[in-house]
Structures are given as C-alpha cells and as structure tokens.
Amino acid sequence: MEETKAAAWRWAEENDLLLSPVARDKMLRTRPELWISLIFPGASQQHLDLFCQWLFWAFLVDDEFDDGPAGRDPRMCGESIARLVDVLDGEKPLAPMEHALAGLRDRTCRDRSPAWNRQFRRDTAAWLWTYYAEAVERAAGQVPSRADFTRHRRDSVAMQPFLDLHEITAGTDLPESARSLPAYIALRIAVTDHSGLCNDICSFEKEAVLGYEHNAVRLIQRDRRATLQEAVDEAGVQLARVAERVQRAERELVEEIAVAGIEGPARTALERCVRDYRGLVRGDFDYHARAERYTRPDLVEVDRRDTLSRHFAA
C-alpha cells in the first residue's frame, strides 16, 4: 500500500497535477491507496498502482465538480465534462487532467476486448455526466426524488468502472452473454447501491457544511421531515437491505449460470465475481470508517473559487 501511495504521488507530479496545500491535505486524508488495497486485496503491485492512479484522478474530478465553481455553473461543468469524455474517446488532450486521463486510458484499455472497452467507456462516461446533471439541478433549485436519486447514484458513486477494473486484476474478460445475465446485472447494481448509500451516510456531515443536497440521508430527512438521527437510522436499515440484495443476487447468479449452460472461462469468471464482489463491498465499507475524508468533517474547507482549477483548464 505504501508503494502504491508513493507511485500515485509520483504519477501526479509527472502529469503536472501539483496540488495546492489545501488540496494536498485533502488527498492525504482521502487515502485512495487504502480504498484500492481494501477492495482489491489480491491484486498485483502493478494493478494496485494503476487502479490507485485512476482513483486519485477520480477524486480530483469529484472535488472540482462537487465543491468547486463548476458544480455551480452548468455551462462551465458541461464544457469541462464534454472535454473529458472526448479524451476518453480518443481526442487530443489539452489540460493536465486530460493528459492524465489519456495516459490512464491507454494503459488500461489497450489489451482489453471490445466488449470490455464498451462497458468501461459507458460506465466512466455515465459517471462523469452525473456532475453535469447535479450542476443543472443545483442551479435550477431542484432536488431529485428519492427514487430518481437512487438511479442517479448508481452512476455518480463511480463504482461501476471499478467493477470493470476488477476483471483486469482477476484475469478475466466476460463475454456479452455473461454480462447480460439478469443476476449479474442485479449483483452489480446491488454492490453499487451499497457503496453509494454507505458513502452518503459517511459523507452527510461533510456535505452539509458545503450545502450539498445530492445525498441519500439529506433526501430522507427532507422527505420525511425527520431529525438527522432518524434519517441516518433509516439509511442504515436500507443499507442492510441492500446487503441482503447482494446475497440474493449471488445465489441467483449461480442458478442462472447453470440454466444458461455457461461453462469454461466465462463460468470461472462469473464465479470469481461471486467470490470477490462481497469482499469488495466489505472493503468499501471498512474504508469509509478509516479515511479522514469521511471521519473528520470538521476539517472541511469551503471552496470559494470562481474559476476552474488549472488542472482542468486548457
């Protein structure tokens, strides 16, 4: 983990992602190397390093568009996200964050199948565009319904791309027939829902300081006119129910593998998902209890900039 941390900071420097003292302290409290190590405990050093650099990059995106001026300006946000998605699709990078993305994309995608690349592109682009959706709603003074937010959160928590990256460290590449099994889709959704709700429970105090409304606990509180403790308690009950959905999807996936007649490498790969995803959920849960990004809301500083970080500016 320490080697992965050192590699991530070297990578940031090499890509001209030199953080301000405040941003540096925030990233140190975030500990991306811890999350990667907890959810991929059996990964090689090479994969830990690559995945941690993806997460470092993702947290920079998150902090810029959740906390920075682009999160309050839909036009600024939309233009910036469009640039990142264009680079993901092969356009020439201009800003430091775009150059960093191009490098990560090339290192990650060059040896993967077309099916895997389609899914990873779709999942990554869907995550990026959630920042634009939130900026628009924020500017319009709108708050999503709880049902709409649940669907939105499946993309905005950014777990789906890391489920794709799991295939790399697992040495698998699922065919479309395996990706299309209803229980496999349900398992991914349940894992993602658990991560999003866990994150919202642990982020609520930090996000309340920033006036951030796209949080499940806050929406429960508004919808039910509940106290904070009542909203947190209800979110905890929901989290337990999501964990039950993970277990149910695991059982159903085993049954569907059999009735679909899936054998050979595809069966092995799906069985690996059944084994690993529960550990991934547990690792994500443990991370939120250990990283100061979530345990120290008193350290949050309000971002008062009115322009994009130079990392995003061409």
Side-chain angles (χ1 to χ4, degrees):
M1 190 166 67
E2 287 303 313
E3 289 181 29
T4 292
K5 177 181 178 180
W9 285 96
R10 284 196 305 272
W11 166 85
E13 184 175 358
E14 290 164 0
N15 283 275
D16 196 26
L17 300 176
L18 303 177
L19 307 189
S20 70
V22 170
R24 181 179 180 83
D25 288 345
K26 188 172 186 179
M27 188 64 74
L28 289 170
R29 293 196 302 271
T30 297
R31 301 182 68 191
E33 72 283 352
L34 173 63
W35 190 77
I36 289 296
S37 298
L38 286 170
I39 69 165
F40 297 130
S44 68
Q45 189 71 54
Q46 177 187 3
H47 289 154
L48 282 178
D49 292 353
L50 175 60
F51 300 165
C52 184
Q53 288 156 31
W54 267 112
L55 188 60
F56 193 113
W57 185 87
F59 274 122
L60 289 179
V61 170
D62 193 65
D63 290 341
E64 185 71 23
F65 294 104
D66 271 357
D67 305 346
R72 302 182 293 272
D73 184 333
R75 180 173 296 181
M76 183 190 299
C77 183
E79 291 174 353
S80 300
I81 295 300
R83 279 292 312 157
L84 293 176
V85 174
D86 285 346
V87 170
L88 186 65
D89 288 337
E91 288 292 322
K92 181 181 178 181
L94 300 175
M97 282 291 284
E98 296 173 14
H99 282 280
L101 173 59
L104 291 170
R105 177 203 64 205
D106 291 346
R107 291 162 57 201
T108 303
C109 299
R110 59 190 170 208
D111 297 324
R112 304 302 295 172
S113 69
W116 186 92
N117 276 306
R118 282 194 299 272
Q119 173 129 359
F120 184 68
R121 187 271 176 201
R122 181 170 61 247
D123 293 339
T124 304
W127 159 62
L128 287 168
W129 279 113
T130 62
Y131 293 104
Y132 176 68
E134 291 185 12
V136 170
E137 288 185 328
R138 193 178 294 119
Q142 298 172 352
V143 177
S145 70
R146 290 168 64 185
D148 287 343
F149 180 72
T150 296
R151 290 187 288 271
H152 169 85
R153 198 72 175 108
R154 287 171 185 163
D155 288 324
S156 72
V157 74
M159 179 61 85
Q160 295 281 354
F162 284 93
L163 294 180
D164 301 332
L165 294 177
H166 166 265
E167 292 185 48
I168 294 178
T169 194
T172 60
D173 201 327
L174 289 169
E176 294 283 16
S177 57
R179 296 184 193 281
S180 300
L181 289 175
Y184 173 72
I185 296 169
L187 179 57
R188 284 179 63 112
I189 289 173
V191 168
T192 301
D193 284 353
H194 194 281
S195 179
L197 188 51
C198 180
N199 184 279
D200 284 354
I201 292 170
C202 295
S203 298
F204 176 79
E205 291 183 82
K206 170 179 73 74
E207 292 174 348
V209 173
L210 301 170
Y212 183 76
E213 295 285 337
H214 286 75
N215 179 289
V217 175
R218 175 59 176 152
L219 292 178
I220 292 170
Q221 191 178 19
R222 289 173 61 104
D223 190 45
R224 297 289 181 87
R225 294 184 172 85
T227 66
L228 171 58
Q229 190 57 56
E230 289 169 342
V232 170
D233 290 345
E234 181 173 334
V237 171
Q238 291 180 8
L239 193 68
R241 290 174 180 159
V242 176
E244 292 172 356
R245 283 171 44 208
V246 172
Q247 295 173 324
R248 182 169 65 251
E250 290 172 343
R251 294 191 298 270
E252 292 175 352
L253 181 54
V254 171
E255 295 169 357
E256 289 182 8
I257 292 169
V259 300
I262 295 176
E263 297 292 346
R267 182 188 187 105
T268 301
L270 286 168
E271 290 172 344
R272 177 73 183 264
C273 290
V274 172
R275 284 199 310 274
D276 288 359
Y277 280 13
R278 188 185 296 197
L280 188 150
V281 168
R282 180 54 197 252
D284 179 69
F285 181 86
D286 288 345
Y287 164 76
H288 283 87
R290 292 173 60 179
E292 286 189 340
R293 181 183 181 93
Y294 305 101
T295 63
R296 293 293 307 276
D298 56 303
L299 298 177
V300 170
E301 297 189 35
V302 177
D303 189 337
R304 303 192 184 281
R305 290 177 296 126
D306 57 7
T307 58
L308 280 171
S309 160
R310 70 170 189 83
H311 299 146
F312 291 83

